[in-house]
């Protein structure tokens, strides 16, 4: 039914529909003739082009004024057959019009092209619309005429449209020139073709200087992708604006936030001709939003994260911990006797105290950890990452140290103490529960006497507590002079003489217990305390070597002292200078002190180890590999490292006399070592049988309970004297 739409566009949908309804009402047979005539005329006059109403025979009932344009008078038309008028400039108008009328009688609309008459004949179009009465049968026919290709009319239309567009552009510019927003036109790729002068105020840039540049040049790296995407999307979203938030650079280098809407301006064929953008500066609005967010997640007094944010970070840390298998630690810190400060000095002093406490705690927080204030005088620290749970105890210690200094409040020095509870978790727990556990531990700490920390550990709380106690005590062992060195002699298997001693550390606890190294060396290694212990051992061994010099004639080979070295010590950049200094200070020479390292220690950081060992060798220190056979299964490193001695692990020696396989392995090790030019020492020789086999296998030296247990140095004075 395209024809209907065609005529509709001429008059406009609404008014034409009105005309049709009015005409339909006029078919009412009860209507008096006068009313009918007047109303038909009025209805037809409502149409914007020439129109006639005809009955089903094609007789003209009435016409409107516009037919005058076709050079025919109204009075001449009424009562005549449609095809017999001078409206047409066609040979046989009936041939064109009759089929239209027939279709109309059957209720179908239609249209035909026909030459129109009058003073300026030209092609035209005749459209016919049936008018139905209430019974829905056709009562009359509406005939509308339209001349085609009236170039003047088209020109006028184009002219009018152009003017309207120009006016619209003027309006656009007028608006753009005066708006406080940034209004721009862009080509389809986004390049600026017009920039409103407001850009001077917003970004302190001259509008003209931006023409031909692309907004991406002003974009912040963090929002550049959003801008590029928005320009891309705008070209694809029909006339819907694309909205987004992004940052643009001010001339002073700072970035401002903008909320921008980009709308495409489409060509008649639907392609994007231009893009129009309007941007509103929302920097202040965003700052307000951010500060609201900050308020929602931060404590107003101290600016620290509040409980809500802590719980969020904790949940996140727990998820990471579960995946990475690294436990996290949570410290619950509660100030001791804070109520007294509040009550005696007033709340404002209390508030100052809390702010100062927050400052001190903030200085302790490690990067990546979170410090929150979750209540009056309650703070929580979350320690995550690789060192989470263990780091928590170190952090607790530092917090207590930090509280040892008094706080200055209103010019007065005031002691504020803190009690700390620690909880650790592997990630599967509820965040609230972990905080509760830390809280419980904090109460334990308070109960034991303020200014302490206590640990809550679901898995083995007593073990953990013990561990912390040990760690604490071990830290003080060196300064409290609680370490001892015992010595175990090494014998040459050919001569039977003592050629050296292995120095083995012990920890003399204040309660009298002598703790063997197996019980504290691993902890010392884990915590790094080993570096300090190791230095003490080296120093003490050097001192002993100088004391034992008295038993030696100048021609005699020196009795060497073997010191055990940990991987951590190899990581100490000061190791070699320290050894050199210490040897010199003791007045001995570098061939009197030797160092032994286990295979597994070398494995930790083979590259760094090699460098340190080369240096030690360079200054004249002999090096041995300890517990050989228990670490690496491939021996290529033996060739690379500057070694002198290989110590066969006790586990092989113990099976020597009874186990054929053990003997085969030991034989192989000895051969390998000799091939590499190394001296072989067997560890843990307990029986004569073992000794016999070692001799047979050509082992060089041995040490073990068969000869002596490790003892205090004085126990060997006599043996050395007769050595
Ligand atoms: P290690 O270096 O392999 O020392 C040999 C261990 O075997 C010593 O144990 C020694 O007492 C024991 N032993 C020696 N002969 C026999 C024997 O015939 N039978 C038995 N059953 N055991 C024997 P100790 O003194 O308990 O030392 C254990 C480990 O602690 C040492 O193994 C060494 O790895 C480490 N260690 C000792 N002192 C130090 C030190 O100053 N620094 C470092 N980093 N580690 C040390
Ligand atoms: Mg050893
Ligand atoms: Mg050993």
């Amino acid at each position: 039914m395209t024809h209907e739409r065609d005529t509709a566009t001429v008059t406009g949908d609404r008014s034409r529909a009105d005309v049709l309804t009015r005409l339909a009402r006029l078919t009412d047979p009860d209507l008096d003739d006068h009313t009918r005539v007047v109303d038909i005329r009025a209805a037809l006059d409502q149409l914007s082009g020439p129109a006639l109403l005809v009955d089903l025979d094609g007789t003209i009932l009435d016409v409107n004024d516009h037919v005058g344009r076709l050079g025919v008078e109204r009075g001449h038309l009424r009562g005549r057959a449609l095809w017999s008028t001078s409206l047409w400039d066609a040979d046989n108008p009936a041939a064109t019009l009759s089929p239209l009328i027939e279709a109309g009688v059957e209720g179908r609309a239609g249209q035909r092209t026909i030459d129109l008459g009058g003073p300026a004949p030209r092609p035209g179009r005749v459209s016919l619309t049936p008018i139905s009465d209430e019974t829905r049968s056709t009562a009359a026919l509406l005939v509308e005429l339209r001349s085609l290709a009236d170039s003047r009319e088209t020109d006028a239309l184009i002219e009018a449209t152009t003017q309207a567009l120009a006016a619209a552009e003027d309006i656009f510019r007028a608006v753009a020139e005066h708006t406080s927003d940034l209004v721009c036109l862009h080509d389809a790729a986004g390049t600026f073709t017009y920039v409103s002068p407001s850009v001077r105020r917003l970004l302190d840039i001259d509008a003209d200087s931006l023409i031909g540049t692309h907004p991406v040049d002003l974009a912040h790296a963090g929002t550049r992708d959003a801008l590029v995407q928005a320009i891309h999307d705008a070209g694809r979203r029909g006339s819907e604006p694309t909205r987004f938030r992004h940052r643009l650079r001010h001339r002073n280098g700072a970035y401002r936030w903008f909320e921008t809407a980009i709308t495409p301006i489409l060509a008649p064929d639907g392609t994007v001709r231009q893009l129009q953008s309007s941007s509103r500066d929302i920097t202040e609005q965003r700052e307000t939003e951010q500060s609201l967010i900050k308020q929602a997640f931060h404590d107003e007094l101290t600016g620290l994260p509040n409980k809500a944010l802590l719980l969020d970070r904790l949940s996140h840390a727990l998820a990471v911990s579960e995946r990475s298998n690294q436990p996290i630690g949570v410290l619950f810190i509660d100030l001791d006797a804070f109520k007294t400060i509040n009550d005696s000095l007033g709340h404002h002093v209390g508030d100052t105290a809390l702010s100062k406490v927050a400052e001190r705690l903030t200085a302790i927080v490690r990067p990546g950890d979170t410090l929150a204030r979750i209540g009056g005088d309650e703070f929580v620290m979350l320690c995550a990452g690789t060192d989470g749970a263990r780091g928590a105890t170190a952090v607790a210690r530092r917090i207590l140290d930090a509280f040892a200094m008094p706080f200055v409040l209103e010019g007065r020095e005031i002691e504020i103490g803190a009690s700390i509870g620690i909880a650790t978790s592997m990630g599967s727990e509820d965040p609230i529960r972990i905080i509760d556990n830390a809280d419980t531990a904090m109460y334990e700490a308070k109960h034991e006497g303020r200014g302490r920390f206590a640990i809550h550990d679901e898995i083995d709380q007593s073990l953990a507590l013990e561990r912390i106690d040990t760690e604490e005590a071990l830290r003080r062992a060196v300064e409290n002079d609680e370490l001892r060195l015992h010595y175990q002699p090494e014998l040459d298997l050919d001569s039977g003489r003592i050629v050296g001693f292995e120095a083995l550390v012990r920890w003399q606890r204040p309660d009298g217990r002598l703790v063997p190294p197996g019980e504290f060396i691993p902890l010392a290694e884990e915590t790094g305390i080993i570096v300090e212990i190791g230095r003490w051992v080296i120093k003490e061994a050097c001192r002993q070597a100088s004391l034992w010099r008295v038993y030696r004639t100048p021609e005699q080979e020196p009795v060497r002292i073997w010191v055990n070295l940990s991987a951590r010590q190899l990581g100490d950049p000061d190791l070699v200078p320290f050894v050199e200094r210490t040897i010199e200070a003791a007045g001995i020479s570098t061939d009197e002190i030797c160092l032994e390292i286990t295979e597994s220690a070398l494995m930790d950081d083979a590259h760094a180890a090699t460098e340190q060992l080369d240096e030690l060798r360079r200054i004249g220190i002999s090096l041995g590999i300890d517990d050989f056979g228990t670490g690496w299964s491939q021996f290529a490193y033996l060739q690379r490292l500057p070694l002198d001695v290989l110590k066969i692990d006790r586990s092989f020696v113990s099976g020597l006399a009874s186990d054929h396989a053990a003997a085969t392995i030991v034989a192989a090790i000895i051969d390998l070592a000799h091939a590499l030019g190394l001296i072989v020492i067997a560890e843990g020789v307990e029986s004569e049988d073992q000794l016999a086999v070692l001799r047979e296998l050509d082992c060089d030296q041995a040490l073990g309970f068969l000869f002596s247990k490790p003892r205090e140095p004085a126990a060997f004075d006599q043996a050395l004297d007769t050595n």
Side-chain angles (χ1 to χ4, degrees):
M1 305 255 272
T2 49
H3 48 272
E4 259 193 3
R5 193 170 307 143
D6 266 23
T7 34
T9 39
V10 176
T11 50
D13 274 330
R14 167 87 80 58
S15 60
R16 190 165 182 284
D18 283 353
V19 171
L20 293 179
T21 347
R22 276 180 82 173
L23 289 174
R25 268 206 311 271
L26 297 171
T27 57
D28 182 353
D30 294 340
L31 214 63
D32 72 87
D33 281 351
H34 179 72
T35 315
R36 199 191 315 269
V37 169
V38 172
D39 279 8
I40 287 177
R41 180 77 48 85
L44 292 177
D45 281 347
Q46 237 182 294
L47 295 166
S48 62
L52 311 90
L53 191 68
V54 300
D55 70 9
L56 303 187
D57 299 333
T59 309
I60 299 171
L61 297 172
D62 207 344
V63 303
N64 70 4
D65 271 346
H66 298 305
V67 291
R69 279 195 239 155
L70 298 168
V72 190
E73 270 188 49
R74 198 196 271 248
H76 285 135
L77 291 169
R78 239 177 302 143
R80 295 182 63 175
L82 183 62
W83 45 83
S84 63
T85 65
S86 55
L87 285 171
W88 328 107
D89 186 35
D91 288 345
N92 184 7
T96 311
L97 297 170
S98 293
L100 266 181
I101 291 175
E102 276 164 29
V105 172
E106 283 166 19
R108 282 181 283 121
Q111 57 179 317
R112 291 292 170 99
T113 310
I114 189 168
D115 286 339
L116 297 175
R122 68 206 122 146
R125 176 163 295 180
V126 52
S127 311
L128 185 138
T129 312
I131 307 293
S132 321
D133 61 13
E134 280 160 358
T135 64
R136 293 190 172 264
S137 57
T138 306
L141 305 164
L142 173 67
V143 177
E144 291 164 279
L145 308 175
R146 187 148 74 93
S147 64
L148 292 175
D150 183 333
S151 61
R152 271 177 309 147
E153 231 171 83
T154 322
D155 287 350
L157 259 177
I158 291 173
E159 172 69 20
T161 316
T162 313
Q163 270 173 18
L165 279 178
E169 201 172 305
D170 281 350
I171 292 170
F172 168 79
R173 277 178 195 271
V175 171
E177 302 281 305
H178 293 105
T179 177
S180 57
D181 290 352
L182 176 60
V183 178
C184 307
L185 290 174
H186 313 254
D187 66 15
T191 303
F192 289 117
T193 55
Y194 168 82
V195 178
S196 66
S198 52
V199 73
R200 164 68 69 200
R201 193 181 51 77
L202 293 167
L203 299 175
D204 194 17
I205 300 176
D206 183 35
D208 288 342
S209 71
L210 288 176
I211 309 299
T213 69
H214 196 277
V216 157
D217 300 338
L218 295 175
H220 185 274
T223 59
R224 189 171 294 148
D225 289 351
L227 173 70
V228 172
Q229 186 66 44
I231 291 174
H232 176 85
D233 288 352
R236 270 161 193 71
R237 292 192 55 184
S239 52
E240 275 283 290
T242 305
R243 295 180 194 283
F244 65 108
R245 286 181 167 203
H246 64 133
R247 303 172 78 181
L248 294 176
R249 194 177 55 245
H250 190 277
R251 200 162 71 109
N252 67 13
Y255 283 86
R256 310 281 303 171
W257 275 99
F258 286 89
E259 186 168 73
T260 296
I262 304 188
T263 316
I265 298 172
L266 303 178
D269 65 356
T271 56
V272 177
R273 193 164 43 187
Q274 288 189 92
L275 300 172
Q276 186 260 310
S277 70
S278 345
S279 305
R280 194 161 55 87
D281 186 332
I282 53 158
T283 310
E284 271 82 41
Q285 179 191 331
R286 244 191 89 91
E287 274 162 12
T288 318
E289 281 170 15
Q290 295 300 109
S291 86
L292 282 176
I293 291 172
K294 193 172 155 62
Q295 267 171 37
F297 290 107
H298 288 80
D299 162 45
E300 213 179 317
L301 176 65
T302 60
L304 293 175
N306 64 11
K307 190 166 185 176
L309 183 53
L310 172 73
L311 287 174
D312 183 61
R313 299 239 176 112
L314 189 50
S315 307
H316 177 73
L318 286 169
V320 173
S321 151
E322 194 162 19
R323 255 181 285 133
S324 64
N325 240 353
Q326 283 165 345
I328 60 161
V330 169
L331 283 78
F332 196 107
I333 306 150
D334 186 280
L335 304 186
D336 294 333
F338 182 69
K339 199 173 168 306
T340 326
I341 298 180
N342 256 345
D343 292 349
S344 58
L345 300 173
H347 282 272
H348 69 285
V349 181
D351 282 355
T352 315
L354 288 171
S355 304
K356 295 203 165 183
V357 164
E359 264 170 41
R360 268 192 207 179
L361 290 174
T362 305
I364 292 169
V365 191
R366 305 177 303 182
D369 289 354
T370 297
L371 171 68
R373 177 172 173 236
I374 63 162
D377 63 343
E378 295 169 341
F379 296 82
V380 169
M381 213 182 270
L382 161 64
C383 303
T386 48
D387 208 18
R390 187 174 329 120
T393 60
V395 170
R397 209 173 284 117
R398 266 186 285 144
I399 293 174
L400 294 180
D401 283 349
F403 277 81
M405 259 200 326
F407 288 78
V408 180
L409 297 174
E410 306 234 299
R412 274 191 271 176
E413 288 201 344
I414 293 183
E415 306 258 354
I416 301 178
S419 298
I420 304 170
I422 301 176
T424 62
S425 171
M426 271 312 267
S428 51
E429 258 152 302
D430 171 33
I432 305 251
R433 201 183 129 99
I434 297 165
I435 296 180
D436 284 349
N437 286 346
D439 192 10
T440 311
M442 185 276 295
Y443 273 101
E444 276 167 34
K446 270 217 199 297
H447 184 71
E448 281 175 31
R450 307 159 166 226
R452 292 163 187 265
F453 67 87
I455 293 193
H456 185 284
D457 191 322
E458 296 276 275
I459 308 155
D460 195 341
Q461 202 184 342
S462 60
L463 208 82
L465 272 173
E466 196 177 286
R467 193 190 131 104
I468 295 302
D469 282 350
T470 316
E471 194 181 324
E472 282 286 276
L474 190 55
R475 247 170 235 287
R476 305 215 172 92
V478 177
E479 60 186 80
N480 290 351
D481 197 24
E482 290 170 6
L483 298 179
R484 305 280 175 270
L485 268 193
H486 283 188
Y487 296 84
Q488 188 175 26
E490 287 171 3
L491 276 77
D492 180 86
L493 293 190
D494 282 339
S495 65
R497 286 182 56 222
I498 296 176
V499 287
F501 287 96
E502 175 165 7
L504 296 157
V505 72
R506 273 94 183 91
W507 181 12
Q508 179 81 64
R509 301 292 307 258
D511 62 7
R513 197 162 74 96
L514 193 66
V515 185
E519 282 180 33
F520 66 90
I521 293 288
L523 180 65
E525 285 177 336
E526 247 179 77
T527 53
I529 307 174
I530 190 69
V531 175
E532 205 191 340
I533 293 180
R535 285 173 179 240
W536 179 87
V537 170
I538 293 168
K539 218 166 169 176
E540 179 57 22
C542 289
R543 195 181 66 87
Q544 191 58 50
S546 79
L547 291 180
W548 273 336
R549 279 190 153 199
V550 293
Y551 300 109
R552 198 179 102 191
T553 58
E555 318 78 67
Q556 255 178 333
E557 279 269 307
V559 170
R560 302 149 152 232
I561 297 183
W562 287 90
V563 170
N564 291 281
L565 206 65
S566 282
R568 280 266 196 155
Q569 290 173 271
L570 281 176
D572 172 14
D574 190 42
L575 174 70
V576 181
F578 174 82
V579 169
E580 222 171 355
R581 282 199 305 273
T582 312
I583 287 175
E584 204 184 298
I588 58 169
S589 67
T590 47
D591 60 357
E592 290 167 78
I593 292 291
C594 315
L595 296 172
E596 57 181 73
I597 313 102
T598 59
E599 286 181 295
S600 42
L602 290 174
M603 225 156 48
D604 282 358
D605 183 355
H607 181 69
T610 312
E611 278 185 10
Q612 290 271 50
L613 296 179
D614 281 337
E615 273 295 284
L616 287 168
R617 186 63 171 306
R618 197 183 52 73
I619 63 168
I621 304 275
S622 292
L623 300 170
I625 187 98
D626 200 1
D627 300 349
F628 185 81
T630 57
W632 284 359
S633 47
Q634 45 139 321
F635 305 129
Y637 74 96
L638 286 178
Q639 259 173 309
R640 265 202 332 268
L641 295 178
L643 299 171
D644 305 276
V645 163
L646 184 152
K647 284 185 150 185
I648 303 178
D649 191 66
R650 196 171 74 224
S651 55
F652 298 110
V653 176
S654 63
L656 259 191
S658 50
D659 179 354
H660 181 69
T664 315
I665 293 169
V666 171
I669 294 174
I670 292 173
D671 285 347
L672 172 71
H674 284 166
L676 291 166
L678 303 177
I679 294 173
V680 185
I681 305 181
E683 290 187 302
V685 183
E686 292 181 345
S687 70
E688 292 288 353
D689 290 347
Q690 292 166 351
L691 179 63
V693 180
L694 287 167
R695 280 216 166 96
E696 212 170 288
L697 294 177
D698 207 16
C699 181
D700 304 301
Q701 299 168 12
L703 76 175
F705 292 173
L706 177 64
F707 314 113
S708 168
K709 290 198 165 180
R711 288 192 192 177
E712 288 172 8
F716 301 103
D717 286 352
Q718 210 191 335
L720 281 172
D721 201 15
T722 57
N723 196 24

